Amino acid sequence: MSISEAADEAGTTLLNGIVDSSVDFRGKPSVRFTSGGWRSSGYIIGAEVAEKFAYLGIASNLITYFTGPLEMSTASAASNVNLWLGTAAFLPLIWGSIADSFLGRYRTILLTSSLYILGLGLLTFSATIPSLRKDQETLVSCVSNLKVTIFFSALYLIAIGEGGFKVCIRAFGADQFDEQDPKESKAKSVYFNWSYFARSAGILTTRLISNYVQENLSWALGFGIPCLSMMLSLFLFLLGTHTYRFSTGGEGRKHTNPFVRIGRVFVAAAKNRQQTSSETYLLVPTESSKTFRFLDRAAISCDSREVEEAKAVLSLVPIWMCCLVFGIVYAQSPTFFTKQGSTMDRSISSTLLVPAATLQCFINLSILAFIPIYDRLFVPMARSITHRPAGITTLQRISTGIFLSIPSLVIAALVEMKRLKTARDHGLVDSPEATVPMSVCWLIPQYVLYGVSDVFTMVGLQEFFYGQVPVELRSLGLSLYLSVVGIGNFLSSFMVAVIEKATSQSGQVSWFANNLNQAHLDYFYWLLACLSSVAFVSFVYFAKSYVYKNPK
């Protein structure tokens, strides 16, 4: 094809408004003016909001169910919550790989939604099973084994469904914006902010409704409402099918598993380690070849594009590792923050108590309040100084969030110290069921700062990991972002188990004793604040040397 013919074809494509590397639901080339953009993302955001209502309707008050109907200890309940949350956030690595390899994001969303709804249905059924039975040997009441078995089976079925749904729907939503179009490229950054805003609105709603229903009316009804919400999510997603753009890089054709491709590059590089850099340099003549030159040796037996994929993923590892401590901090809100509030004065009137899990609403309120401030005030001000479209870089945004998590933990530790002192002053140290005469409003500042740091870190991580991997690996890229929370929850569970064992030896009172008036959550918060400080310094160090890549 001559240069003039190529120019004519490009002009015709632009005139017709055809979106490159994208098809509609019929398999025909996507037309810009009738597909994608905010037109499609409206359905996707609606589905995300309904899904978040379902997920947080279970997750935010799970520790109360563990320590209540299932009669677990505080440490065991917190550990189980962290393990479940970690599984749900870690599974996107597997589902992202499946979606990028052969199934495609759209079909993965349909499959995982079905598993999700099935799990929520089973969870609702488990709550209708009587909680207690008589042990035949001791004649002591204990929780029914059938109830526990069905409950945990349902819980992890939900984790399997949620893990695939959230990674694919977020990548699918971002796919609706064409990076080659300046207007749509700018809209994509705005999309990440406002989709997070909408999800937070859904989370706020469920924390106000589901938590109250679960603690004051019925756990079965409290689990059933999220099940209906997930059905609504699937309906909204299907409703927008005729408007969607399907990336031909991820939909409709098969690819080798990304983990296999990347692993093959490392194996090939090791086999060809005797080759010199000069012998392989011309095989990977791209700009990013200046980094991780030892992988260039794989180009002898692997495609140069596979080598670049491996380099792109490897360059993200230091950033990913530095964010894991934030994942640990992220795990505290639905566990110890909630238990902390359950011991305090939560009364609004003589007959109405605020559920402890409802305090997490202040996280979402701060997110809902701050995202418009960030998008409409902070970004324009920063843009005028830095001349960057987004105001600041994604790594600067993430580091700001990690930094803000430190004062949140410091405040949490100081408030817990005051709560313990109040309990001692009123002689409540040996009364775990008594309400400490200290308003639960003391917890609001730590929740608010937690929410603001969330806006910076979590949205920044989502945009960073989506944008810094090749187009074919974007589901995997978003799963790396979600795995920060997953691994963080696993690490939190591990830390709780180790500290519980170490601090309960020789007759000492554990940091996580069932009687929180004798425990020392403040020590744990101080430890996390120190770890977060180290993580922040490490993150800034690696971020300064990071070279941004254009996945195209």
Side-chain angles (χ1 to χ4, degrees), residues 149-171:
T149 301
I150 295 178
F151 175 81
F152 275 100
S153 298
L155 202 62
Y156 278 89
L157 189 56
I158 292 169
I160 292 171
E162 202 268 346
F165 180 91
K166 65 185 175 185
V167 65
C168 288
I169 200 164
R170 293 178 192 180

Side-chain angles (χ1 to χ4, degrees), residues 15 20 30 60 65 87 96 105 129 134 207 229 267 336 342 366 401 409 459 522 539:
L15 186 64
D20 189 33
S30 297
S60 62
Y65 192 79
T87 301
R105 297 184 185 105
I129 300 173
K134 291 286 186 180
R207 282 172 173 165
S229 182
V267 171
F336 292 126
S342 68
S366 62
L409 290 166
V459 180
D522 52 333
F539 185 91

Side-chain angles (χ1 to χ4, degrees), residues 11-328:
T12 303
T13 299
L14 184 62
L15 186 64
N16 294 334
I18 301 299
V19 181
D20 189 33
S21 302
S22 178
V23 297
D24 62 17
F25 73 104
R26 300 186 189 89
K28 298 179 180 179
S30 297
V31 179
R32 188 179 310 281
F33 306 110
T34 59
S35 68
W38 291 108
R39 179 188 304 100
S40 299
S41 61
Y43 293 104
I44 294 170
I45 289 175
E48 283 194 273
V49 170
E51 184 275 329
K52 276 302 161 195
F53 184 98
Y55 179 65
L56 269 297
I58 305 301
S60 62
N61 207 23
L62 195 56
I63 193 168
T64 303
Y65 192 79
F66 279 141
T67 56
L70 295 191
E71 298 184 337
M72 290 185 181
S73 67
T74 299
S76 178
S79 182
N80 271 287
V81 172
N82 288 153
L83 284 173
W84 179 71
L85 292 173
T87 301
F90 182 77
L91 283 173
L93 279 172
I94 298 174
W95 280 115
S97 173
I98 291 172
D100 285 340
S101 300
F102 63 91
L103 196 56
R105 297 184 185 105
Y106 182 83
R107 288 185 289 273
T108 303
I109 291 169
L110 298 185
L111 172 61
T112 53
S113 295
S114 302
L115 296 174
Y116 205 151
I117 293 169
L118 177 60
L120 286 166
L122 280 174
L123 194 73
T124 304
F125 171 70
S126 74
T128 65
I129 300 173
S131 296
L132 301 178
R133 64 175 175 80
K134 291 286 186 180
D135 187 278
Q136 296 301 316
E137 296 181 2
T138 63
L139 299 180
V140 175
S141 294
C142 57
V143 180
S144 164
N145 290 333
L146 177 63
K147 181 184 183 74
V148 173
T149 301
I150 295 178
F151 175 81
F152 275 100
S153 298
L155 202 62
Y156 278 89
L157 189 56
I158 292 169
I160 292 171
E162 202 268 346
F165 180 91
K166 65 185 175 185
V167 65
C168 288
I169 200 164
R170 293 178 192 180
F172 192 70
D175 287 344
Q176 305 309 307
F177 298 89
D178 180 17
E179 290 184 334
Q180 302 307 305
D181 180 78
K183 184 181 292 186
E184 289 196 19
S185 179
K186 184 178 180 181
K188 179 181 286 188
S189 182
V190 177
Y191 166 79
F192 282 118
N193 280 330
W194 288 100
S195 64
Y196 200 75
F197 178 91
R199 291 199 299 271
S200 297
I203 295 169
L204 174 63
T205 306
T206 194
R207 282 172 173 165
L208 289 172
I209 296 175
S210 297
N211 294 341
Y212 179 83
V213 171
Q214 289 163 359
E215 292 198 26
N216 295 280
L217 298 178
S218 163
W219 281 100
L221 181 60
F223 291 153
I225 292 174
C227 184
L228 293 175
S229 182
M230 190 58 214
M231 291 179 183
L232 175 63
S233 174
L234 179 57
F235 172 75
L236 290 173
F237 180 73
L238 289 172
L239 202 61
T241 299
H242 67 286
T243 72
Y244 296 150
R245 294 174 185 169
F246 299 84
S247 170
T248 55
E251 306 283 347
R253 65 174 185 171
K254 296 185 178 181
H255 298 277
T256 309
N257 186 290
F259 288 116
V260 173
R261 292 204 303 269
I262 294 169
R264 186 165 59 217
V265 170
F266 282 94
V267 171
K271 287 182 177 179
N272 300 329
R273 61 183 178 275
Q274 301 300 327
Q275 303 292 329
T276 63
S277 298
S278 59
E279 291 176 300
T280 57
Y281 178 74
L282 293 177
L283 295 174
V284 278
T286 61
E287 190 66 24
S288 61
S289 297
K290 296 178 181 178
T291 60
F292 304 115
R293 295 295 298 272
F294 67 93
L295 290 178
D296 291 349
R297 298 181 178 91
I300 295 174
S301 51
C302 296
D303 187 87
S304 62
R305 185 162 186 164
E306 293 179 347
V307 176
E308 293 307 312
E309 284 182 354
K311 289 185 177 185
V313 173
L314 186 59
S315 68
L316 300 176
V317 171
I319 302 296
W320 180 83
M321 292 185 67
C322 291
C323 292
L324 291 180
V325 175
F326 185 84
I328 298 174

Side-chain angles (χ1 to χ4, degrees), residues 249-531:
E251 306 283 347
R253 65 174 185 171
K254 296 185 178 181
H255 298 277
T256 309
N257 186 290
F259 288 116
V260 173
R261 292 204 303 269
I262 294 169
R264 186 165 59 217
V265 170
F266 282 94
V267 171
K271 287 182 177 179
N272 300 329
R273 61 183 178 275
Q274 301 300 327
Q275 303 292 329
T276 63
S277 298
S278 59
E279 291 176 300
T280 57
Y281 178 74
L282 293 177
L283 295 174
V284 278
T286 61
E287 190 66 24
S288 61
S289 297
K290 296 178 181 178
T291 60
F292 304 115
R293 295 295 298 272
F294 67 93
L295 290 178
D296 291 349
R297 298 181 178 91
I300 295 174
S301 51
C302 296
D303 187 87
S304 62
R305 185 162 186 164
E306 293 179 347
V307 176
E308 293 307 312
E309 284 182 354
K311 289 185 177 185
V313 173
L314 186 59
S315 68
L316 300 176
V317 171
I319 302 296
W320 180 83
M321 292 185 67
C322 291
C323 292
L324 291 180
V325 175
F326 185 84
I328 298 174
V329 175
Y330 196 83
Q332 305 316 311
S333 170
T335 53
F336 292 126
F337 279 19
T338 300
K339 289 300 293 181
Q340 195 178 9
S342 68
T343 66
M344 302 168 74
D345 183 7
R346 297 177 282 120
S347 60
I348 294 179
S349 66
S350 58
T351 58
L352 183 60
L353 282 180
V354 176
T358 302
L359 291 170
Q360 296 172 53
C361 288
F362 286 102
I363 296 174
N364 304 104
L365 286 171
S366 62
I367 291 173
L368 293 175
F370 189 70
I371 282 182
I373 294 173
Y374 181 90
D375 194 58
R376 301 302 179 186
L377 294 178
F378 178 81
V379 170
M381 290 174 59
R383 187 186 296 140
S384 66
I385 298 172
T386 63
H387 304 293
R388 295 179 180 274
I392 57 176
T393 67
T394 50
L395 290 178
Q396 288 171 336
R397 180 172 186 168
I398 296 166
S399 63
T400 303
I402 294 175
F403 176 79
L404 289 174
S405 69
I406 300 172
S408 174
L409 290 166
V410 170
I411 291 173
L414 293 173
V415 170
E416 177 62 8
M417 290 172 66
K418 179 174 175 57
R419 191 193 68 81
L420 291 173
K421 183 178 183 301
T422 304
R424 289 194 299 269
D425 292 345
H426 289 80
L428 301 176
V429 173
D430 298 318
S431 305
E433 301 299 325
T435 299
V436 176
M438 177 178 170
S439 174
V440 77
C441 292
W442 279 89
L443 297 178
I444 293 176
Q446 71 194 55
Y447 278 111
V448 170
L449 264 178
Y450 185 101
V452 174
S453 70
D454 211 349
V455 172
F456 279 98
T457 305
M458 298 308 290
V459 180
L461 282 171
Q462 182 174 326
E463 186 173 355
F464 177 76
F465 282 106
Y466 178 87
Q468 292 302 296
V469 295
V471 176
E472 296 83 359
L473 299 181
R474 281 182 164 168
S475 294
L476 180 62
L478 277 181
S479 67
L480 284 173
Y481 137 71
L482 292 167
S483 70
V484 168
V485 177
I487 301 297
N489 274 279
F490 288 144
L491 291 175
S492 177
S493 179
F494 175 75
M495 287 179 65
V496 169
V498 171
I499 293 172
E500 168 76 5
K501 185 175 181 179
T503 59
S504 59
Q505 293 178 346
S506 304
Q508 298 179 12
V509 178
S510 165
W511 286 11
F512 312 116
N514 290 339
N515 182 355
L516 288 188
N517 295 336
Q518 295 179 350
H520 274 292
L521 289 181
D522 52 333
Y523 293 172
F524 185 58
Y525 294 150
W526 285 121
L527 174 61
L528 291 182
C530 292
L531 291 175

